[in-house]
Amino acid sequence: MTPTFPDISISTERLVLRPFDDADVPALTEMMNDELVASRNSAPAPYTDADARDWVTRRAPASRTRGDGIVFAVTEFLTQRLVGSVRLKRTDWRLRTTEVTYATAPWARGEGYACESVLALVQWLFQDQKFERLELRTAADNTAAQQVAQKLGCVSEGVLRNAWITRARDADTGWTEARTDLIVWSLLPEDLDGLPERMAEAGGTVPYADWN
């Protein structure tokens, strides 16, 4: 039997990480059509309601059932508003390693939600699922993602040269593509030691996380 992650939700003081559902389709479509989000991923652009519905009903659940990873919608605890997504992929169950990717909606930036949601996922991954390594890959010019990696205590391991394609708006053709390097970051369970103190010094907090 193929190992899989459990079908769960993870809660922090401000956020809930849960499976996507049909009600998320409009907000997901809007988030994925944001220029910054669209420039950093390989999803269709423009992103349609049909694309969102296919992701919510088929592709995201399939990631978990085939053992590749798991996908969470990130929502505000009080308003239930979709503020982003976080995903584990390329999971190796023998080595207990996986890669994390995330996106933050334009209406939710500047609140620390990316760091909070990834950290909650990491705590669950290391403590409950007994994983030994997490990877995060950031485009060379994506300083915001690099700051999240640094706040989480990730270690920069090197550069994958010319390994990704980014997109930029073009007045004539809609989008232009360009190749870029990827910085590879890693996080191990012991890297979380002392994280509360480090985040406090950086002006942040470590959120309480619960999973069920």
Side-chain angles (χ1 to χ4, degrees):
M1 180 180 294
T2 302
T4 61
F5 288 113
D7 186 11
I8 65 159
S9 296
I10 301 172
S11 299
T12 72
E13 292 180 357
R14 301 190 299 169
L15 302 174
V16 177
L17 283 63
R18 57 159 176 79
F20 277 96
D21 60 39
D22 289 340
D24 297 316
V25 167
L28 177 60
T29 302
E30 185 177 356
M31 179 180 78
M32 296 300 291
N33 279 309
D34 171 69
E35 183 172 352
L36 186 58
V37 173
S39 69
R40 301 295 187 187
N41 68 73
S42 58
Y47 196 85
T48 67
D49 281 348
D51 294 321
R53 189 166 291 104
D54 183 56
W55 177 254
V56 167
T57 62
R58 185 180 67 86
R59 296 182 62 197
S63 176
R64 189 185 71 83
T65 56
R66 69 172 175 260
D68 176 68
I70 190 169
V71 180
F72 292 98
V74 181
T75 62
E76 286 181 329
F77 182 80
L78 293 178
T79 68
Q80 300 183 32
R81 179 179 63 163
L82 182 74
V83 297
S85 67
V86 64
R87 175 188 182 191
L88 298 178
K89 64 179 185 178
R90 297 194 180 101
T91 301
D92 188 314
W93 288 93
R94 186 178 70 85
L95 296 178
R96 292 280 164 170
T97 65
T98 191
E99 179 184 343
V100 65
T101 65
Y102 65 88
T104 303
W107 54 85
R109 291 181 189 139
E111 300 293 335
Y113 287 161
C115 191
E116 183 171 334
S117 59
V118 174
L119 177 57
L121 182 58
V122 166
Q123 291 173 321
W124 169 77
L125 184 71
F126 288 161
Q127 296 171 16
D128 188 80
Q129 298 298 301
K130 309 304 180 185
F131 268 60
E132 296 293 338
R133 174 182 168 89
L134 180 78
E135 285 190 6
L136 173 64
R137 302 183 180 192
T138 63
D141 64 344
N142 192 347
T143 56
Q146 292 160 27
Q147 289 172 355
V148 169
Q150 291 167 345
K151 287 180 180 179
L152 292 171
C154 296
V155 174
S156 175
E157 294 187 331
V159 176
L160 299 176
R161 297 186 300 162
N162 220 27
W164 190 246
I165 294 176
T166 60
R167 296 183 287 207
R169 286 286 189 187
D170 184 281
D172 297 323
T173 61
W175 291 96
T176 58
E177 295 184 342
R179 300 199 71 92
T180 187
D181 298 342
L182 286 177
I183 301 174
V184 179
W185 306 79
S186 69
L187 193 67
L188 307 182
E190 55 264 34
D191 294 330
L192 296 183
D193 294 343
L195 184 62
E197 292 78 9
R198 295 198 302 272
M199 291 192 71
E201 291 174 359
T205 59
V206 178
Y208 166 78
D210 187 23
W211 44 87
N212 53 62

